[in-house]
Every structure is written in C-alpha cells, then in structure tokens.
Amino acid sequence: MQWQDHAIILGVKRHGETSVIVEVMTRDRGRHLGLVRSGRSRAMQPVLQPGNAVEVIWRARLDEHLGEFRVEPVTLRAARLMETATAVYGVQAMGALLRLLPERDPHPHLFDALEVILDHLHNPADAGELFVRFELAVLNDLGYGLDLAECAATGARSDLAYVSPKSGRAVSRSAGAPWADKMLLLPPFLGVEGNHAADFDSLSAAFRLTGFFLHRHVYEPRGIEAAVAREGFVQAALKALNPASRTLSSPNGISA
C-alpha cells in the first residue's frame, strides 16, 4: 500500500540506532505515524523538526502496519519557531491538541488552520487569538462544540456577553445578568459580530473559556492533564500583551 500527502511534523521518537518514528499531521489522512530510516542523519535531522511542512510518501504491506515514510522538505520553519516563547510552546501545545483526536482520522480544516497558525506564532496577539479558535475547532471535532452564535435564552444575536458553563451556549448581557457571577465571559472577538481585536482581558477570558470546556469534556473524563505547553503558551501570549501580567487562573481553578 502507498499514498502521498502534504504533512506537518508534530514529533519524532528515536527508533534503534539510526532511524526515527515520525508523527505528522497530514491534510487528508489525519495524524499519522511512520518510520523514517536514517532519520537521525545530519541531512534529515533539520527536516524532521516540529512545525516543518513536508511531503510524505507512506508505504506498508498492510494498512494497519506502522509503515515507512519517505520525507521531502517543503517549508522549513522550525528555526524561526525557536525565536519566541509563543512559538516554542505553541507548536507543542497544538501537537498535544491534535493527539486528542483518533489517529488516521482526517481533519483537513484543522490541518489548514495549523499551517496558518504556524506562520503567525511569532506575533503573540495574533497567535493567541488563532490558538483559541484552534482549541474551539478541536472541541467541535471531538463532539463538544460551543454555540456562540445566538443567545440560548432569547435567540438574540447581538450583545452576547456570556457563555453558559452547563450548555456551552452564548447568553446575552441582559438575559445573563442575574447569573453573571456563574457565567463564563464571552470575549468580543469570538462573538458573531467579530469586530474586536483580542487584547489582554479578552484573550485571558478566551483561554479560561476553552480551558474550562477542554477540562470538563476531554481531560477530566480521560483522566489526563492539559499539556504543560498550553500553560506556557498562555502565559507567553498574555505577557507579550501586558508585560506586568501575572499567572492567571480561572474561577474554578483551571489554568487560563
């Protein structure tokens, strides 16, 4: 069996003396593993770095086998991704999110989003907003998508200010006022109007929002913790917007 696809390197694990097992996110075949012979060579090591875009050819006798990759470089961005904290942590955090999805399950829209975000991780404001949207997309693909388009109580599509922690649906400012202290804030840049850029406060609220639902629906039921890289990314993105900021935590104790 054989196929060819565009891919992004997520991780590499040593295998034997000279080979490695490479984990990639492909556009049409989802997250996939494959053996690269001589992957630890001087020529291949710079190519097999997280964040790099490559073309892969996968071969195996049977579909359920690990198989082997032949890898050709397309966009080598790994060196640039080492220049800022948001980029270093962001690559690791997005890889961890993609590992929540079943292996070999295609998610082409997540692949496209990953490519866009990787090219913007050096800009903390853009990186933070894009990362939150990536988390929302992963939640949606896991079956826990949030409905932020209209008020759960009134159906209104304007002045949406909260998100119900029970239903994951937006709530308007007037309808949610009596229970405001129990609601999660809906950052303006995630609203349907979408005419606000992310700032320190709105991005903090956005990280709390996605962190809450990831914890409730994914991490807690699976008995796992959020990747350490997520916290690193959150703090790096917020610090870049407000250098005087301190580590934040959500009202329920979950890291922002």
Side-chain angles (χ1 to χ4, degrees), residues 16-132:
E17 292 299 320
T18 61
S19 300
V20 296
I21 295 175
V22 178
E23 180 185 30
V24 300
M25 182 65 181
T26 67
R27 192 179 193 285
D28 298 325
R29 292 168 177 81
R31 188 171 55 85
H32 212 290
L33 301 176
L35 177 71
V36 177
R37 298 192 182 277
S38 301
R40 300 183 63 219
S41 68
R42 186 173 299 178
M44 289 304 300
Q45 283 188 21
V47 176
L48 302 179
Q49 296 295 319
N52 282 345
V54 296
E55 196 74 17
V56 296
I57 297 176
W58 180 83
R59 292 191 181 95
R61 189 169 65 85
L62 296 175
D63 184 62
E64 59 267 26
H65 288 177
L66 172 65
E68 295 185 15
F69 279 145
R70 190 176 75 191
V71 181
E72 296 293 336
V74 176
T75 305
L76 302 184
R77 57 169 71 90
R80 187 181 186 189
L81 293 174
M82 296 297 292
E83 295 177 355
T84 63
T86 50
V88 170
Y89 289 120
V91 174
Q92 300 175 48
M94 287 189 292
L97 286 168
L98 292 171
R99 293 183 188 103
L100 298 173
L101 300 166
E103 188 181 342
R104 304 189 180 189
D105 192 15
H107 297 268
H109 59 291
L110 290 181
F111 175 87
D112 293 338
L114 179 62
E115 280 219 302
V116 171
I117 299 172
L118 287 171
D119 287 331
H120 290 80
L121 282 176
H122 62 283
N123 186 320
D126 291 343
E129 182 173 340
L130 290 169
F131 183 85
V132 166

Side-chain angles (χ1 to χ4, degrees), residues 205-226:
F207 286 134
R208 289 192 183 98
L209 178 67
T210 53
F212 176 86
F213 287 103
L214 281 166
H215 179 80
R216 167 182 281 185
H217 294 306
V218 184
Y219 301 135
E220 189 172 47
R222 296 188 186 188
I224 60 176
E225 298 290 334

